[in-house]
Amino acid sequence: MSADLNKTPMIQQYWEFRNKLPPNTLLFFRVGDFYEMFGADAERGAELLGVTLTKRSGLPLAGVPYHALQTYLQKALNAGVKIAICEQTEPAKPGKLVNRALVRIITPGTTLEDTQLDAKHNNYILAIDENKNGLHAAWLDVSTAEFRIATSRERVTLLSLLQTLNPSEILVPESWQQGRTPGYLDSLLQWNLVSRTPDWQFDTKIGNGTVCKVLKVSSLAGFGISEDNAALGAAGALLNYVSETLCETPGHIKKISELCSDDAMIIDAAGTRNLELFRSAAGTREGSLLAAIDGTHTASGARLLERWLASPSRDVNVIRNRQECVEAFFRSHVVMSRVLVALAYVKDISRTLTRLQNRLRSPRELGAIRESLAQLPEIKQALEIISPSPLDAVNARIDLHEELYAMLVEALAENLPMDLEGVIRQGYDSRLDSLRNLRSDSKVWLTEFERQLQEKTDIRNLRVRYTGAFGYYIEVTKANLSKVPETWVRRQTLVNAERYTTSELRQKEQEILQADELVAQREMELYAGLVEKVLAHSASLTETAIALSELDVFAGWAQLAQTWDYCKPEVDNSDVLQITDGRHPVVEQMLHRPGMSHSFVPNSTDLSASGTQINILTGPNMAGKSTYIRQVALITLLAQIGCWVPAKSARIGIADRIFCRVGASDELSRGNSTFMVEMNETANILNNATPRSLVVLDEIGRGTSTYDGLSIAWSVAEYIHGNGECGPRTLFATHYHELTRIAEELPRVKNYCVAVREWNDEIIFVRTVVPGAADRSYGIHVARLAGLPLSVIERAKEILADLEQTNEEFRKKLEAESPAVAAVAEDAPAPRRVFPTAKVSRAPRPDPSQLSLF
């Protein structure tokens, strides 16, 4: 690396900024029309961004054009790399070092640009800390100013809530990189960008002071948060980090709220994945529950829907209020349609305000506010048609901002440019109009001046032009140089032409450039004034945006209910789960796609924590067992977010958690086999389920041998039932037909099966769930449907017959020993239980002679 080059003032200035930046950060250093990188940054940046790496005096350098900045920022963010932007703060002057300033450090969790954000998804940055008092967390969507905290001694419970946030970046104490990271957090930290900050910033007292300072309050009591709340340490560390990346205090954050685990239904990461709430098994949004119920027309409405789906309510009053708002739209198709049409033109007000408050002030941001405000009268007028209704409270929160809207209409050009030139409407400001007229007159003068010169010199291709380097000039081709007057002054020589100027042109040039500068300055002043007037209404605009988001979700759900014949479920604090003719919300929609000729077969469900607590479900593969048990979980979840449900009728007793152990996958990167993953998820259910939980189990024990698998499945069913008077409502799908015998001994277990019909050695899937147990798996029939060679099918039948005969012989041989086997079974110790206890006889262990191997 060249010592001489490093001693130049610009490079020294570069290193002053670079040495202050955290690791994993590239510095984009503005030099004219490029953002330059030097040294190791240039080498890494060139490889990461796909730009050319060069060297000057041995110093590596690479750069990207300023106009393509957003493209390269997105590449860096996608790779989990942070970008620091260092801008020139004054025009460049010959022989003088340009002043520069660090204006932003852009990270995945703090970016604000539309091009770097998913409009329908919150972009959270999460800070977490842990001590002997539990797990503590704070999370913030910088783009919308949503700021929340949570703390819990039940670490795994809070972890489940945090996993649903899907954060873009996670902030942890610096000491965690030295092997102190709690192991149970691996699943959260493993796939996210992790940033570290000094441990002292996580101090609760310091955090309380930081939060109060940012929110400009003396105490957080007004937000219902005590000064010793353990999560304030994480909140303070988070705000310090955000302030560093924004290079200023985030003044747009106005409030903070605490999330209590008792307020929301909890669905852990396994349940979220198995139920395909946000992503299908293929990893796409299409095919997920979110996609199926998303009828929103605004970006903020889509984000609100996602938040509600991630955190279903346990408050019956909240749920019923949402249901009634949906019903108000449901009963008036005209009002619903008018509101949805108007909402389609509403822009993302929350994120627009955040960008304006953080110096990202494109003219189109104010245009978005203007276009959104234009829709408010139509929305309010439509809602008044059905007043009084539950929507009145939402409508009351919508402020028309009539004066603000009138000002924006009067001030802003109809078609807004990308930059500030031309943003102010003609006629809004008399001074600006005068300056524009002066500039316009000057351009007319230039056109006339060019015509006169052409006539005087008889040079028809003479042109009057402008460049930033030479200003205005007269260009003459070399073939006409003999006609150039002697009074003209040569400015530049080109290959095919010469450039000249005159005293008259120089004088006019000064007038034009001064007019341009004055126009730009006045337009900037006026635009800044408009921005400040808009930001003065930021609180009421934000509240209006929230109300519009709620209307968007409610109207979208009403349209969903009308289109797919959903019902309004009865939600209460009972322990029942009754669904009449329920349907899977995702599968039903997929069956109505072009080319699909099937209709969904509805099924009913009747569970109660103190009545029929466990339904054992048997039936062949492909019969629809997994679809059925998942649809029950999804209907319960939909009911608790306030949405109507795909059923003829439903009564849903509030569930505190939904556990879903469905499907098979491995975690080879973590050393876990398919069976180990299954056992880990099952252990989580058994250790955390309560009588208010809903448990959905599919094929427990299938990842190991038949005897081991059946034994585990049997024991799990016993444990869930417990010795008490109630337990978690459970749907247990299995191929172990022997497990159905447990219903003979345990009072709250009932058998169901998915019906099939046999005809000419074929099976027909009826897909109807009926009382009783299936006596066969039909595995070979399903194998034939899958296309296995006929020779394999026939050989499988022979092997099955031999095994069944062997089992029968084994059963007869074991009969003499059965009393001893039964005695051992009865003497086996009962496991510790988390459910209320009462004396209930336990079911006997299965007879090995009756085990089905297929």
Side-chain angles (χ1 to χ4, degrees):
M1 189 174 291
S2 170
D4 291 338
L5 187 58
N6 270 320
K7 289 182 179 179
T8 62
M10 188 187 76
I11 296 299
Q12 289 180 347
Q13 186 186 51
Y14 170 85
W15 289 117
E16 286 178 9
F17 287 111
R18 183 65 191 87
N19 292 335
K20 297 176 183 177
L21 296 176
N24 195 35
T25 306
L26 294 177
L27 175 59
F28 276 20
F29 189 76
R30 184 69 179 266
V31 181
D33 290 340
F34 280 81
Y35 289 100
E36 300 287 0
M37 296 170 282
F38 300 97
D41 270 12
E43 294 173 336
R44 186 184 183 195
E47 180 180 0
L48 178 69
L49 305 176
V51 298
T52 302
L53 178 68
T54 61
K55 285 189 177 182
R56 181 188 299 174
S57 302
L59 177 65
L61 58 92
V64 301
Y66 80 96
H67 58 79
L69 174 64
Q70 297 304 323
T71 299
Y72 291 103
L73 285 180
Q74 192 60 57
K75 285 186 178 181
L77 293 176
N78 290 343
V81 176
K82 306 171 187 177
I83 299 291
I85 306 294
C86 186
E87 291 284 5
Q88 297 177 177
T89 58
E90 63 179 2
K93 297 179 180 178
K96 181 180 182 298
L97 178 64
V98 179
N99 285 326
R100 293 179 173 88
L102 196 65
V103 297
R104 281 289 308 280
I105 301 176
I106 301 174
T107 76
T110 62
T111 184
L112 294 173
E113 291 286 0
D114 254 352
T115 54
Q116 297 153 16
L117 293 169
D118 182 343
K120 292 190 171 186
H121 179 66
N122 277 103
N123 191 57
Y124 290 117
I125 177 170
L126 168 69
I128 52 175
D129 189 22
E130 190 212 42
N131 56 30
K132 63 181 181 180
N133 295 319
L135 179 64
H136 321 296
W139 59 97
L140 169 67
D141 184 339
V142 182
S143 69
T144 64
E146 180 193 344
F147 187 27
R148 307 194 76 176
I149 61 172
T151 180
S152 177
R153 290 182 177 274
E154 300 293 330
R155 292 167 171 80
V156 176
T157 298
L158 179 54
L159 176 62
S160 297
L161 289 172
L162 300 180
Q163 286 173 323
T164 64
L165 297 175
N166 191 22
S168 297
E169 188 174 357
I170 300 178
L171 191 65
V172 301
E174 260 180 354
S175 59
W176 283 19
Q177 63 185 339
Q178 300 167 2
R180 281 194 59 240
T181 304
Y184 71 92
L185 293 174
D186 286 347
S187 60
L188 178 65
L189 301 176
Q190 185 175 17
W191 306 112
N192 290 285
L193 172 65
V194 176
S195 299
R196 292 173 171 81
T197 195
D199 288 37
W200 63 265
Q201 291 191 2
F202 285 85
D203 179 80
T204 299
K205 185 176 181 180
I206 294 175
N208 178 64
T210 301
V211 175
C212 287
K213 180 180 178 181
V214 171
L215 299 184
K216 298 178 181 178
V217 296
S218 59
S219 166
L220 299 178
F223 300 100
I225 298 172
S226 65
E227 64 181 12
D228 59 353
N229 188 300
L232 288 176
L238 180 57
L239 290 179
N240 278 323
Y241 180 80
V242 171
S243 297
E244 291 174 4
T245 60
L246 295 178
C247 296
E248 65 179 358
T249 301
H252 66 294
I253 301 173
K254 304 296 184 183
K255 61 182 180 180
I256 182 173
S257 61
E258 182 176 12
L259 176 66
C260 298
S261 58
D262 290 343
D263 296 339
M265 173 201 285
I266 297 172
I267 309 174
D268 61 18
T272 300
R273 181 182 65 251
N274 293 332
L275 291 174
E276 300 176 280
L277 300 186
F278 304 102
R279 290 287 182 271
S280 69
T284 61
R285 190 176 188 274
E286 183 181 9
S288 68
L289 178 64
L290 177 61
I293 65 170
D294 186 0
T296 58
H297 286 57
T298 68
S300 57
R303 294 195 299 270
L304 178 63
L305 171 59
E306 187 177 53
R307 291 198 298 274
W308 282 355
L309 185 60
S311 184
S313 179
R314 290 170 57 184
D315 188 323
V316 171
N317 293 326
V318 169
I319 295 168
R320 288 176 179 170
N321 179 66
R322 292 177 186 173
Q323 289 179 335
E324 289 165 2
C325 288
V326 174
E327 185 173 19
F329 278 125
F330 183 87
R331 295 185 179 279
S332 179
H333 181 80
V334 172
V335 172
M336 179 190 72
S337 299
R338 284 180 60 178
V339 169
L340 286 176
V341 168
L343 286 171
Y345 294 95
V346 172
K347 307 303 180 182
D348 200 336
I349 297 175
S350 298
R351 284 184 169 172
T352 296
L353 290 172
T354 295
R355 285 191 287 272
L356 291 174
Q357 289 162 327
N358 288 278
R359 300 169 297 172
L360 299 177
R361 298 183 170 183
S362 161
R364 296 188 178 181
E365 306 294 356
L366 286 190
I369 299 293
R370 179 184 64 183
E371 292 175 37
S372 300
L373 295 181
Q375 306 305 318
L376 300 188
E378 166 65 7
I379 293 172
K380 289 185 75 70
Q381 289 167 14
L383 293 176
E384 287 168 3
I385 294 173
I386 55 175
S387 181
S389 81
L391 293 170
D392 289 348
V394 184
N395 194 16
R397 290 156 49 203
I398 299 175
D399 187 337
L400 289 176
H401 297 92
E402 293 171 310
E403 293 183 4
L404 180 62
Y405 174 63
M407 179 193 71
L408 293 176
V409 170
E410 182 184 3
L412 296 176
E414 184 173 351
N415 298 312
L416 292 171
M418 294 294 293
D419 53 30
L420 290 182
E421 184 177 359
V423 66
I424 302 298
R425 186 187 292 270
Q426 188 76 17
Y428 176 69
D429 181 73
S430 58
R431 182 182 170 193
L432 177 61
D433 291 344
S434 298
L435 292 171
R436 282 174 170 170
N437 290 335
L438 175 61
R439 184 176 63 179
S440 177
D441 293 344
S442 298
K443 291 179 180 178
V444 171
W445 182 91
L446 286 171
T447 302
E448 180 62 21
F449 180 64
E450 180 183 82
R451 188 190 64 78
Q452 291 176 1
L453 290 180
Q454 290 172 348
E455 290 182 355
K456 288 180 181 180
T457 61
D458 196 28
I459 303 173
R460 296 303 174 186
N461 61 353
L462 177 150
R463 295 289 182 268
V464 177
R465 292 174 175 169
Y466 175 82
T467 66
F470 294 100
Y472 286 96
Y473 58 85
I474 305 165
E475 185 170 286
V476 179
T477 60
K478 290 196 172 180
N480 293 301
L481 292 182
S482 60
K483 300 179 181 180
V484 173
E486 293 182 359
T487 56
W488 290 10
V489 179
R490 180 182 283 108
R491 297 289 304 275
Q492 185 182 18
T493 299
L494 304 178
V495 175
N496 298 316
E498 295 284 346
R499 292 176 175 176
Y500 300 87
T501 187
T502 68
S503 58
E504 186 178 15
L505 181 59
R506 283 197 298 268
Q507 181 180 351
K508 201 63 181 180
E509 177 183 343
Q510 291 179 358
E511 295 177 8
I512 295 172
L513 294 180
Q514 186 179 23
D516 285 341
E517 184 177 341
L518 291 174
V519 167
Q521 181 180 342
R522 182 57 180 167
E523 205 154 18
M524 186 179 297
E525 290 173 359
L526 292 171
Y527 183 77
L530 293 174
V531 169
E532 293 310 313
K533 289 176 181 177
V534 168
L535 292 180
H537 295 83
S538 61
S540 58
L541 284 169
T542 299
E543 185 61 31
T544 295
I546 295 171
L548 293 174
S549 301
E550 293 174 10
L551 289 177
D552 195 16
V553 175
F554 296 145
W557 281 350
Q559 190 175 57
L560 177 75
Q562 289 180 351
T563 303
W564 296 100
D565 192 24
Y566 282 18
C567 76
K568 176 183 172 184
E570 179 185 352
V571 179
D572 55 33
N573 286 309
S574 69
D575 69 350
V576 304
L577 177 54
Q578 297 171 339
I579 301 170
T580 303
D581 290 345
R583 310 182 305 276
H584 194 294
V586 180
V587 176
E588 179 181 37
Q589 292 184 22
M590 292 181 138
L591 290 177
H592 281 76
R593 290 181 174 181
M596 302 293 287
S597 58
H598 302 289
S599 60
F600 194 90
V601 178
N603 281 294
S604 300
T605 304
D606 190 357
L607 288 172
S608 168
S610 56
T612 304
Q613 176 205 341
I614 302 175
N615 285 355
I616 303 292
L617 183 66
T618 51
N621 285 314
M622 292 180 61
K625 297 191 304 298
S626 295
T627 298
Y628 169 71
I629 61 176
R630 290 187 200 192
Q631 87 183 29
V632 173
L634 294 179
I635 287 173
T636 302
L637 189 151
L638 287 177
Q640 289 192 221
I641 65 174
C643 184
W644 289 21
V645 300
K648 185 176 180 180
S649 65
R651 182 186 177 195
I652 310 293
I654 291 291
D656 61 355
R657 299 185 66 152
I658 292 181
F659 294 96
C660 184
R661 168 50 252 172
V662 176
S665 62
D666 53 30
E667 296 176 349
L668 297 181
S669 63
R670 300 176 63 187
N672 291 335
S673 66
T674 299
F675 183 64
M676 177 57 77
V677 172
E678 179 184 324
M679 290 299 98
N680 285 339
E681 293 180 3
T682 304
N684 176 51
I685 295 171
L686 300 184
N687 289 323
N688 293 290
T690 74
R692 297 210 64 88
S693 301
L694 173 62
V695 177
V696 174
L697 299 172
D698 190 17
E699 307 296 349
I700 292 296
R702 69 177 174 180
T704 185
S705 70
T706 302
Y707 291 168
D708 285 354
L710 174 57
S711 301
I712 292 170
W714 191 289
S715 181
V716 166
E718 281 187 345
Y719 188 90
I720 290 174
H721 183 279
N723 290 331
E725 297 178 353
C726 61
R729 294 160 288 184
T730 303
L731 293 170
F732 198 135
T734 182
H735 279 289
Y736 296 127
H737 302 132
E738 299 74 21
L739 192 60
T740 60
R741 290 173 44 206
I742 204 170
E744 300 171 7
E745 302 295 335
L746 299 181
R748 298 191 304 278
V749 178
K750 189 172 182 179
N751 288 320
Y752 286 86
C753 66
V754 184
V756 297
R757 293 176 182 171
E758 294 187 62
W759 183 75
N760 288 343
D761 201 30
E762 300 282 345
I763 57 171
I764 300 172
F765 296 112
V766 180
R767 314 221 182 263
T768 301
V769 176
V770 297
D775 58 357
R776 297 178 60 188
S777 289
Y778 297 96
I780 294 177
H781 292 77
V782 174
R784 181 168 56 196
L785 290 174
L788 266 65
L790 183 60
S791 59
V792 174
I793 298 298
E794 294 302 322
R795 177 58 179 154
K797 289 180 179 180
E798 295 174 2
I799 296 172
L800 176 61
D802 289 343
L803 290 172
E804 287 176 341
Q805 182 177 354
T806 301
N807 276 350
E808 178 63 19
E809 293 173 355
F810 180 74
R811 185 191 65 79
K812 292 178 179 178
K813 181 178 179 181
L814 195 65
E815 282 181 350
E817 305 173 21
S818 58
V821 173
V824 171
E826 287 298 321
D827 290 338
R832 181 181 63 84
R833 307 190 188 283
V834 297
F835 315 124
T837 58
K839 292 185 178 180
V840 175
S841 61
R842 287 170 37 230
R845 298 298 188 265
D847 186 341
S849 66
Q850 297 180 8
L851 293 178
S852 295
L853 300 183
F854 286 87

